[in-house]
Amino acid sequence: MLSTGALRAHLLAARLAGPVATSREDSLRSYRLFAARDPRVTLGLHPRWSWDEGDLLRLMADKCGVSGDPAYRSGPDVIDPERTLAALGAFAARLAEAARRRAPVLLGTGHPHRLLGFYAGLADALSAAGCLVLTPAKGRCVDITTRFGVRTYSIDYVRGVALVREPGRKGAGCETGAHTHSPLPVRAALEGLADVGGPLPELVVGDHGWVCGAGQLGIEAVGLADTDDPALFVGEAEGRVSVAVPLDDAVRSDYYRPLTRYVLNRACLSR
């Protein structure tokens, strides 16, 4: 069993917390865009409250541990590992509650190259505990606006975890799908469930638009978020995201394995 102290040391060594690769410039740019309600960073969330750049910086200092000094404009951003550990505990508690109820769950990621293994481990454990791991709308096409224009992607599932990929891009080298911040995939997945009269998820687990898109529609959602992803923390502050875990979401995929073990141990879902 991975102790809290051991995980704290891993978070710092792997740069999941502490000084992270996400730059202060990128974080401040995201806060500026969120304040302007740019959909690239609101991730499907429609904030109820007025959030300006100062509000967002104070929120992220509270939720993540970034510097609250507006004069700090460049250099690495910082995540407080104690905040990450506390949020992982709350995240595990929501998984444990879903498992207790044998609730239907939906897992999806916009960071498949990094986080697919983390979510797949959770999907396996939730399924073993009796939860229905939903895989709706497989193959459904979604048009997503990117910096290269509108691109068509299709919804797919790997080990029970939803992701999007370019149609026809399946096979060697393409197993992990595409990176996206869009809430459109989770909306399409939920529409797919409605089309067949299937059960809706009682919990959505993921990141980016999967979490914010579900939370905006009133479905309980928990997920991971970096310092340049203020939308999940705004959603948490406004009560539409249950748990947002602050950590770097783009380190090596194997660095997330200890987090999977820790969360499943805390949720009493280890096998």
Side-chain angles (χ1 to χ4, degrees), residues 10 15 28 31 33 36 51 54 73 79 103 109 111 113 133 153 220 225 231 235 246 259 266:
H10 173 72
R15 296 189 67 187
L28 293 177
Y31 308 160
L33 292 173
W51 295 90
R73 308 293 299 178
I79 295 174
T109 181
H111 263 299
H113 296 81
V133 176
Y153 296 87
E220 184 177 14
L259 277 69
R266 291 291 298 265

Side-chain angles (χ1 to χ4, degrees), residues 134-214:
L134 301 167
T135 56
K138 183 175 181 178
R140 180 171 294 197
C141 290
V142 182
D143 292 331
I144 298 176
T145 301
T146 74
R147 58 180 175 166
F148 306 108
V150 176
R151 294 286 180 87
T152 299
Y153 296 87
S154 61
I155 297 174
D156 202 359
Y157 291 84
V158 176
R159 294 179 56 195
V161 182
L163 49 82
V164 297
R165 63 171 94 248
E166 293 183 43
R169 295 288 302 278
K170 188 171 183 178
C174 302
E175 289 83 356
T176 55
H179 174 248
T180 181
H181 287 208
S182 175
L184 297 179
V186 75
R187 293 177 189 166
L190 295 172
E191 287 171 3
L193 287 168
D195 289 346
V196 299
L200 292 174
E202 294 180 21
L203 180 68
V204 171
V205 181
D207 48 61
H208 292 169
W210 288 94
V211 172
C212 290

Side-chain angles (χ1 to χ4, degrees), residues 247-261:
L247 50 70
D248 191 317
D249 60 9
V251 304
R252 281 174 36 180
S253 58
D254 56 312
Y255 288 170
Y256 297 97
R257 290 175 190 160
L259 277 69
T260 304
R261 297 202 306 272

Side-chain angles (χ1 to χ4, degrees), residues 10-29:
H10 173 72
L11 292 172
L12 294 170
R15 296 189 67 187
L16 286 156
V20 294
T22 308
S23 70
R24 181 69 163 189
E25 295 93 328
D26 284 347
S27 295
L28 293 177
R29 176 179 178 273

